[in-house]
Amino acid sequence: MARPAPSQVLRRRKVRRSTWLGVGLVTLYLSVIVLIPLAAVAWHAAELGPAAIWRVVSSPDTRAALQLSLFSSLAVAAINAVVGTIIAWVLVRDTFPGKTIVNALIDLPFALPTIVAGLTLLALYGPKGALGVNLAYTRAAVMLALLFVTLPFVVRSVQPVLMELEKDVEEAASSLGAHGPTVFRRVVLPSLLPAIVSGAGLSFARAIGEFGSVVLISGNIPFKTQIAPVRIFALIESGDSAGAAALAVVLLLISFSVLLLLAFVQRWGRKGDE
Amino acid sequence: MTISAIGITKRFGEFVALDDVTLEVAGGELTALLGPSGSGKSTLLRVIAGLEHADAGEVIISGEDATGRPARDRGVGFVFQHYAAFKHLTVRDNVAFGLSIRHRPKAEIARRVDELLHLVQLGGLAERYPSQLSGGQRQRMALARALAVEPKVLLLDEPFGALDARVRKELRGWLRRLHEEMHVTTVFVTHDQEEAMEVADRIVIMNEGRIEQIGPPRELYETPGNEFVMSFLGPVNKLGDVLVRPHDVELLLEPNGVSTEALIDRITYLGFEVRVELELPNGRKLWAQTTRESAAPLEPGRTVHVRPRATRTFDGDGAETRPAGDSPWWDRRVTMEVHHS
């Protein structure tokens, strides 16, 4: 092997320097925006000590709220994984009048202030609901609100992957004798899975921290419809800010472990990619 | 295992991709569909495979009417230009796909896949993923995958189109040898005349949704049925309505009575082959293909004497005509500057 030319060495060193600059800037930014606030929450909770945290978390009403949040968020993630994929499929593969408008509509739940979303849902599905269905103060209402605010995640993560999926891969499968459902299950789904999983993961994380859209329609009935973020709000209102921080840390830990788990699943699923 | 495509018409909106095309492929034959892009060659292949449905016409594969059948029931192996690899599956699972969806016994699948991987020389790469293979290896994997289900016919759509020139050459020879071993009726699409001539037993030349001519490579080259076929199968000089292959332009240092003077514009060396660009007394340009030895005494600016060994003329309908009249070959239908030595 010949020695690299001086210009090459120079370029390599340059790349390295700019890389460090990039990493430095990203770290600084993340610290200011994310890490320091999260650390402050954790610090606030840690002042209580593990025993006190446990006492807060294991109090019956907090535990019920935590359970409701966890299970409804899991259910929301699962429903989004299926429905979001179907919506993405229809938006990419089918043509129908008004498709552009429907496509733009998908992101609106992000734009709408969540409290407005809650109000609207209450007006439509509440006691004097225009649709004649009263879901107010039930767990179904909690799910409804969570599904509303998490709709875009799976759709938006699956859509670009589906668009880039080469048609000839499906054609190859059918020329090899596969029926439509087999083609979907054995060829299309495995390609979409990483995107579905990541979209579902984001849905979960968003759902477990959601407050605004749920607070009005759920009625916040302890042991029934009170979710963990609302419980935190209740703790703050009653002056127990350390307890609130403790519960927040638990929520953060749950989200973090789910996202971490998904990252590993992604990595494992990506083994066949470039 | 024959293929008949009878009276196939296919439109994409206003565009007529195939216009009442009829093609018969004999069993065990290796046929090339050759034509420029937009000539309908890929569409015809996809209609045969059932990946595209014709607006009119029927497809019969080894005696059975396949016109209304979906691709999965046609017993056709299809190889795509861009490999269409299943990226999430290993090479082994890619090749096994057709067998595993048919729920064949595991041991049988394993044996068959090993056999095929050996055949396409990917034996050592069975556990790799497609992304870890080169383009040529991916295409060989795709071929093994198509062969695994023992198709009645093998269809390849520009199979070497995405590969670099060297690998393309290598795979051509390899496809030829594979065909000699397997004898599966094979049709492949290409826009590369050299590839078609090198690999195929028979070439189908297509243009604007129609078949221009069908025949063995040599026959097509030597007796092209019309101007399109002649110019698509190799370079030509067109002088008025007279067509001359550059290798049929003979360059003489001295006049021989039937030759005409020409001025050398430019000489390009391509190794053994040398291209000599010439200008005739009437201002027309042509080029001659010659060898390094013959070109040794030539240099730009020098006058040489040119004589065609063979010329062809086609009338408006494309049929061949015999040269007539007294004017010289290079100046027919040109009234001015008739100059003859």
Side-chain angles (χ1 to χ4, degrees):
Chain A
M1 282 294 247
R3 262 190 349 184
S7 69
Q8 261 176 319
V9 175
L10 213 68
R11 202 175 304 134
R12 196 176 300 158
R13 200 174 290 154
K14 221 171 174 179
V15 165
R16 185 162 296 167
R17 195 180 297 149
S18 71
T19 305
W20 281 116
L21 187 67
V23 171
L25 278 173
V26 167
T27 311
L28 181 69
Y29 183 84
L30 285 181
S31 303
V32 172
I33 301 290
V34 183
L35 291 177
I36 294 175
L38 290 185
V41 172
W43 179 254
H44 196 44
E47 277 178 331
L48 287 174
I53 291 180
W54 179 247
R55 212 180 50 246
V56 172
V57 172
S58 62
S59 79
D61 39 5
T62 304
R63 206 170 57 202
L66 207 49
Q67 259 172 16
L68 178 63
S69 269
L70 187 63
F71 288 120
S72 54
S73 299
L74 282 175
V76 161
I79 293 172
N80 274 325
V82 176
V83 179
T85 305
I86 295 172
I87 293 174
W89 182 276
V90 169
L91 286 178
V92 173
R93 291 289 169 96
D94 295 342
T95 43
F96 52 89
K99 180 168 154 174
T100 317
I101 295 169
V102 174
N103 194 20
L105 218 68
I106 301 289
D107 290 328
L108 276 188
F110 275 166
L112 199 65
T114 50
I115 192 81
V116 179
L119 266 174
T120 312
L121 290 176
L122 190 63
L124 286 175
Y125 301 103
K128 283 173 237 152
L131 299 175
V133 192
N134 186 3
L135 294 178
Y137 321 133
T138 64
R139 287 184 174 177
V142 174
M143 289 290 293
L144 186 69
L146 293 181
L147 284 172
F148 179 84
V149 295
T150 56
L151 172 77
F153 290 107
V154 173
V155 179
R156 288 302 185 225
S157 61
V158 170
Q159 227 177 354
V161 181
L162 203 52
M163 279 194 281
E164 275 186 24
L165 202 66
E166 290 149 22
K167 197 93 190 76
D168 58 6
V169 175
E170 289 164 63
E171 289 177 344
S174 49
S175 81
L176 289 166
H179 287 253
T182 313
V183 175
F184 182 80
R185 192 170 50 86
R186 309 243 339 209
V187 174
V188 178
L189 195 57
S191 313
L192 299 185
L193 212 53
I196 296 175
V197 166
S198 109
L202 290 172
S203 296
F204 175 85
R206 173 71 202 269
I208 209 162
E210 178 56 19
F211 175 83
S213 62
V214 183
V215 73
L216 289 176
I217 199 168
S218 75
N220 312 320
I221 307 161
F223 300 103
K224 191 178 169 224
T225 61
Q226 191 180 49
I227 55 168
V230 178
R231 175 75 194 143
I232 292 175
F233 187 64
L235 287 170
I236 292 171
E237 278 199 315
S238 64
D240 186 2
S241 74
L247 184 50
V249 165
V250 173
L251 283 185
L252 280 178
L253 279 177
I254 293 173
S255 279
F256 185 64
S257 17
V258 167
L259 293 176
L260 202 63
L261 183 76
L262 291 183
F264 280 116
V265 171
Q266 294 277 54
R267 197 184 216 179
W268 170 80
R270 209 178 288 136
K271 65 193 169 180
D273 283 2
E274 313 289 317
Chain B
M1 303 297 177
T2 56
I3 306 170
S4 308
I6 303 157
I8 304 289
T9 296
K10 174 75 187 173
R11 290 183 203 88
F12 294 106
E14 291 292 290
F15 179 70
V16 182
L18 292 171
D19 184 6
D20 193 19
V21 167
T22 295
L23 173 69
E24 302 276 342
V25 179
E29 206 178 42
L30 178 48
T31 302
L33 299 183
L34 175 66
S37 51
S39 61
K41 55 193 193 307
S42 282
T43 308
L44 180 57
L45 196 78
R46 291 171 60 83
V47 165
I48 295 171
L51 296 174
E52 214 75 73
H53 284 276
D55 300 320
E58 33 184 46
V59 176
I60 293 160
I61 296 171
S62 65
E64 288 174 56
D65 187 358
T67 316
R69 283 196 208 165
R72 61 171 185 271
D73 294 332
R74 292 200 181 190
V76 156
F78 204 97
V79 173
F80 297 81
Q81 179 176 4
H82 297 287
Y83 328 123
F86 303 141
K87 293 191 183 108
H88 60 290
L89 299 178
T90 60
V91 171
R92 169 180 297 284
D93 292 341
N94 261 276
V95 177
F97 186 86
L99 298 171
S100 93
I101 59 171
R102 283 175 177 72
H103 305 292
R104 295 279 177 80
K106 280 219 167 66
E108 185 199 319
I109 295 178
R111 191 169 37 79
R112 179 93 184 110
V113 170
D114 282 336
E115 223 173 83
L116 282 161
L117 287 177
H118 180 73
L119 184 74
V120 300
Q121 296 157 12
L122 290 176
L125 305 176
E127 307 312 323
R128 297 250 184 122
Y129 284 90
S131 59
Q132 298 166 304
L133 302 182
S134 71
Q137 289 168 334
R138 274 185 231 189
Q139 199 56 300
R140 296 203 315 256
M141 176 192 85
L143 194 60
R145 182 178 69 181
L147 289 171
V149 292
E150 291 173 14
K152 290 182 237 168
V153 298
L154 183 61
L155 307 174
L156 305 99
D157 189 4
E158 303 247 9
F160 312 132
L163 302 169
D164 66 54
R166 197 179 52 79
V167 180
R168 195 153 64 209
K169 268 209 150 72
E170 195 182 299
L171 282 196
R172 277 182 206 166
W174 180 81
L175 177 66
R176 183 71 240 180
R177 284 196 303 280
L178 190 79
H179 182 259
E180 272 151 25
E181 270 178 52
M182 311 261 306
H183 278 292
V184 183
T185 309
T186 304
V187 180
F188 76 102
V189 161
T190 180
H191 61 260
D192 180 342
Q193 47 89 18
E194 192 183 311
E195 186 167 291
M197 302 203 39
E198 189 178 323
V199 179
D201 297 323
R202 211 169 59 122
I203 298 177
V204 177
I205 298 201
M206 297 194 63
N207 185 31
E208 294 178 344
R210 291 170 166 280
I211 291 176
E212 295 279 353
Q213 198 176 356
I214 302 178
R218 186 168 175 181
E219 186 188 303
L220 288 187
Y221 190 82
E222 288 177 359
T223 54
N226 57 41
E227 191 181 322
F228 177 83
V229 173
M230 181 161 178
S231 37
F232 200 76
L233 275 184
V236 285
N237 287 299
K238 193 168 185 230
L239 299 151
D241 58 347
V242 177
L243 302 175
V244 191
R245 292 253 186 244
H247 58 69
D248 283 334
V249 177
E250 192 178 2
L251 302 179
L252 306 163
L253 296 176
E254 298 300 328
N256 72 350
V258 290
S259 63
T260 185
E261 270 181 17
L263 189 69
I264 300 180
D265 266 350
R266 192 183 141 92
I267 299 178
T268 312
Y269 285 85
L270 298 164
F272 177 74
E273 179 197 338
V274 176
R275 288 183 190 165
V276 183
E277 288 168 45
L278 303 150
E279 190 176 333
L280 289 171
N282 62 2
R284 289 219 161 121
K285 310 246 183 190
L286 81 162
W287 64 282
Q289 193 176 26
T290 181
T291 60
R292 212 169 40 181
E293 283 74 20
S294 323
L298 305 180
E299 61 191 52
R302 178 174 174 164
T303 300
V304 284
H305 301 269
V306 174
R307 192 184 76 90
R309 292 187 195 92
T311 62
R312 282 181 184 278
T313 317
F314 301 98
D315 66 16
D317 299 329
E320 188 164 6
T321 53
R322 290 274 125 225
D326 296 332
S327 50
W329 62 274
W330 50 271
D331 217 11
R332 280 189 352 109
R333 292 203 190 162
V334 176
T335 48
M336 287 169 60
E337 289 187 63
V338 174
H339 181 292
H340 195 251
S341 47

